[in-house]
Structure formats: C-alpha cells, structure tokens
Amino acid sequence: MQTLRFQAPPYPTFITGGKATFPRNHKHFHHSLPVFDLLYVRSGTLFLTEGNNRYSIYPGEYIIFTPNVEHYGHRVCEEETEFYWIHFDTETKAEWTNQEATEWREIIHKEASYTTPASYTLHLPKHGRYPADQQLERLIDQLLLQHESKDPMERMKEQQTFQQFLIWTQQAALHIPNAAQLKAEELIRYIEEHYDQQLEIREIAKELALHPDYLTRVMKQATGVTPNEYLTQYRLTRAKQLLSTTEWTIAEVSTQVGIQDHAYFSRLFKRKEGRTPKEYRRFVQSTS
DNA sequence: GGTTTGCAGCAGTCGAGGAT
DNA sequence: ATCCTCGACTGCTGCAAACC
C-alpha cells in the first residue's frame, strides 16, 4: 500500500472542497489537478482508476489522488453514491513511499526545543478507512461551512479544521482506540444529538452508565476539553449558523440551541466570540 | 427586543487516593 | 492500568432589574 509522506509544520493548505452525489449508472469523469485530491465516500461506492491502479472506495473509506496524474471512473456507480472531495497542497516536499507507519513515535520526527517547534512526518495511506462514527463527517461539514462562510473569522478557521482533519486521518491509519477514547466518542455523539435539550453531566453519565467525574476525565484525556466546554462550543457553532441564516430573534436562537436564558446566551456568546449575537448578525450581514 | 450587571446557589472539575 | 469516589473549590447558570 502506498503512503503519502510529508513533513509538518507547515501543515498542508486546504484549497477548496465540496460534497457531491453521483446517481446510479454515473461514472466519474476524467480529471487531473495540479494539487492533491482527497475523496471520502459517505454512501455507495466509487470505482476509480489512477495510472495502472484500480480502486473501489466503499462507505467510510477515502483515497488521495496525486497532483497532475489523471484519475477517472472505470465503472459506473451501482447505486447512488455520495462523497466529499477536498483539494489540498503541501509546502514541504510530499512523496509516495511503500513504508507504512504503525506507531506514533514514527510520526514525531523531532521534539520541540526552546527555539524550534516540534516537527512531524505524516504518513497518510493512499487508500484508507475512518472509524465507523459520524464525527469525521461532522468535521468535514464544519470545514465546508467555514469555507462557504461570509464571516472572515470563520474563513480563517478553515485551515485549523483541515489540520484537525489531517490529524484524524493520521490517527485512523495508526489508531487502536483505548477505552477512554471510545467513551469520549460516545459522549460526543450524545452531546451532538441532544445539544438542543437541557443537558446535565449527571444525567448523561447515568445514560452512559459511568460516573460523572470519570466521564469528565476521559473526555478531557481524549479531547483536551471538558464535556461542558465541548457542549458550549457546539451550541455556539450551531447558534452562529442560525444567526447568519435566519431572521430568528436572539431568544429564539438561544432556545433552539438548548439555552433557555437568552441573557445568559448573550453573555456566553460575547465571552467566547468577542461580540454579542446581535453584533455578530450585523457583521455577517454587512460582509455578505 | 436586546444587553449588562449583580448575586446566590450549586454543578462541574480537579487533585488525591482507594479498589480491582 | 483502569475505574471509581471523595472533598474542596471554581466558575457556570438562572434570575431579576435596569438600561439602551
């Protein structure tokens, strides 16, 4: 299996991306780009050829195509096929190798000193699979939303999200999740499905059959943030979407994202975003 | 309608440590 | 190593009132 190997930082740059759906009997067109092209299949199957190699990309799998090498569909889709496409490029030299990395210590190229940052050698498999959950799709959706956003602050965050996407891709290539990570993933799923309701850590812990303290600990260990911090972050992301795409009052938006007290919502919003919800809406409208 | 401020209560977090 | 509990304390949250 070929592996794309490159140094970071600087991390590769996200250029553009999108979501596409091919109907049944549709075939991918002939295509060659001057940058890397990553395709991630959400449902259905893509049958693609690059050079002399044929690939079948099933749901949950991705493939990375090489710049300036033509790829095309060698077979029609047998069912409706939904996939994401992401174009990116590297500033550092990137090369295809047959050496796969199997442990994190192979990724950490050099530890940081007082004057130089840590450096990493990422090894991304040409054709790989992500763990079976919807976190990754949410991350890509977030990336595409930021890319399409009229808010310059959101646009600036897209590279950050793309870096996280690359780290997850690297993690998926090596990853054997431990118990804490599995529980944190379960908690994240729960939060994202119930963020619009009143959530208490004790209730969630009961739901997941764990002690509340323990839940906080595994979440912090796996993601670096506490359940509450994650919930707040998620609610504010949804609130920003609603503020920029609807005419709802601040109180309605607040209720919609699970915060009953709109006064508290405004305060929270200003603390995290640096401007009140009203200012945010005005700002987005003025830049569109 | 939306924001700010003050305040009280308590939920959530963290360090330490025990049980398995 | 993993899972869990306890006690202390921080800061989150909801409410009310005043103001823009």
Side-chain angles (χ1 to χ4, degrees):
Chain A
M1 160 70 72
Q2 285 223 301
T3 300
L4 180 62
R5 185 167 67 184
F6 59 89
Q7 298 282 319
Y11 278 87
T13 310
F14 168 73
I15 298 166
T16 184
K19 199 175 189 177
T21 306
F22 283 170
R24 192 167 169 262
N25 290 329
H26 187 86
K27 206 198 264 186
H28 194 290
F29 40 87
H30 284 252
H31 204 32
S32 168
L33 291 164
V35 295
F36 287 101
D37 186 9
L38 184 148
L39 301 185
Y40 165 73
V41 174
R42 200 164 174 253
S43 62
T45 307
L46 286 176
F47 302 97
L48 298 168
T49 291
E50 184 192 49
N52 296 323
N53 299 313
R54 290 187 161 205
Y55 303 94
S56 302
I57 304 113
Y58 298 103
E61 292 183 358
Y62 69 88
I63 186 156
I64 302 171
F65 289 115
T66 314
N68 301 313
V69 177
E70 191 182 55
H71 59 267
Y72 59 91
H74 58 258
R75 219 170 104 187
V76 297
C77 296
E78 290 167 354
E79 58 191 309
E80 190 179 86
T81 299
E82 207 182 346
F83 63 96
Y84 293 95
W85 53 273
I86 291 173
H87 295 171
F88 68 94
D89 207 1
T90 57
E91 273 183 50
T92 55
K93 189 182 161 208
E95 56 183 5
W96 290 106
T97 146
N98 287 322
Q99 289 175 324
E100 285 177 46
T102 54
E103 292 181 28
W104 278 109
R105 62 187 161 139
E106 294 173 60
I107 306 299
I108 300 166
H109 177 66
K110 188 166 67 77
E111 293 289 3
S113 72
Y114 285 111
T115 52
T116 55
S119 109
Y120 307 95
T121 306
L122 271 76
H123 293 67
L124 305 182
K126 181 166 189 70
H127 181 190
R129 154 170 289 280
Y130 293 106
D133 63 53
Q134 283 151 17
Q135 271 192 72
L136 180 96
E137 287 170 23
R138 289 194 198 102
L139 188 74
I140 305 177
D141 282 334
Q142 187 187 344
L143 173 67
L144 300 181
L145 236 123
Q146 286 168 342
H147 187 59
E148 286 158 17
S149 174
K150 303 260 189 308
D151 178 355
M153 238 167 77
E154 285 298 301
R155 288 295 300 271
M156 284 167 77
K157 288 182 192 165
E158 69 182 21
Q159 297 301 339
Q160 207 179 333
T161 308
F162 181 61
Q163 274 184 26
Q164 189 176 349
F165 171 75
L166 286 176
I167 293 166
W168 282 13
T169 306
Q170 181 61 85
Q171 192 180 16
L174 304 174
H175 187 56
I176 301 165
N178 60 26
Q181 281 163 331
L182 289 173
K183 290 196 168 86
E185 280 169 16
E186 215 179 322
L187 175 61
I188 287 171
R189 266 199 299 279
Y190 190 90
I191 288 175
E192 293 185 358
E193 278 164 19
H194 300 87
Y195 74 95
D196 54 345
Q197 300 160 23
Q198 284 210 311
L199 286 183
E200 276 181 26
I201 192 84
R202 262 189 291 184
E203 286 302 309
I204 304 173
K206 208 153 94 182
E207 201 70 33
L208 303 181
L210 290 167
H211 193 277
D213 289 354
Y214 181 59
L215 203 55
T216 301
R217 204 171 297 273
V218 293
M219 181 73 173
K220 184 101 188 182
Q221 191 188 328
T223 66
V225 296
T226 63
N228 247 351
E229 281 167 343
Y230 187 86
L231 174 63
T232 301
Q233 223 172 321
Y234 192 74
R235 279 177 165 163
L236 292 186
T237 304
R238 309 299 295 185
K240 281 195 282 182
Q241 282 172 8
L242 293 175
L243 287 167
S244 54
T245 57
T246 72
E247 289 302 316
W248 296 357
T249 64
I250 306 296
E252 282 170 327
V253 171
S254 171
T255 310
Q256 201 57 226
V257 299
I259 300 173
Q260 304 309 315
D261 181 359
H262 67 272
Y264 172 61
F265 170 70
S266 285
R267 181 161 43 179
L268 194 64
F269 197 97
K270 182 159 187 187
R271 191 167 66 224
K272 301 283 183 190
E273 298 298 324
R275 57 184 110 198
T276 64
K278 196 181 177 182
E279 284 168 351
Y280 176 82
R281 175 173 272 162
R282 220 179 290 146
F283 176 71
V284 173
Q285 282 167 353
S286 72
T287 55
S288 60

